Amino acid sequence: FGFSNTASGKHSSVLGGYRNSASGLYSSVSGGSENSASGESSSVSGGSNNFASSENSSMFGGETIIKKDLERSLVSELPFTQDAGGWWVADMVMFRFPKGIVV
């Protein structure tokens, strides 16, 4: 899918987008534009101009606005509560995608 993508690493893949490359062993790029996964077992989830060059590295794609949104969502209080059974559970604010994500 996409246009002008390259998966040159052994067992690497590019799912789509534009001018993405996966050159590392077991590397992958899920989409977006001009992303690169060159480290062994590295991945880029999308966005634009993201690079995963270290071994086992991963980049969640996006733009500067996503970074600012994440910084705003950080909390300074303890993000866990204790339920009726005594288990410590994470509050919903701790999850970027609380209902899950489909790729």
Side-chain angles (χ1 to χ4, degrees), residues 30-80:
S30 298
S33 63
E34 299 182 340
N35 296 308
S36 173
S38 59
E40 182 177 331
S41 301
S42 63
S43 67
V44 176
S45 297
S48 179
N49 294 305
N50 295 300
F51 304 96
S53 56
S54 299
E55 184 177 344
N56 301 316
S57 61
S58 179
M59 289 290 300
F60 173 78
E63 299 178 48
T64 308
I65 193 165
I66 290 178
K67 180 181 181 224
K68 290 178 183 174
D69 186 34
L70 285 171
E71 289 171 348
R72 274 196 310 270
S73 68
L74 295 176
V75 293
S76 59
E77 298 175 17
L78 185 65
F80 301 99

Side-chain angles (χ1 to χ4, degrees), residues 7-26:
S8 59
K10 187 173 183 180
H11 307 295
S12 66
S13 64
V14 175
L15 274 75
Y18 172 71
R19 295 187 67 184
N20 295 308
S21 68
S23 58
L25 179 67
Y26 302 110

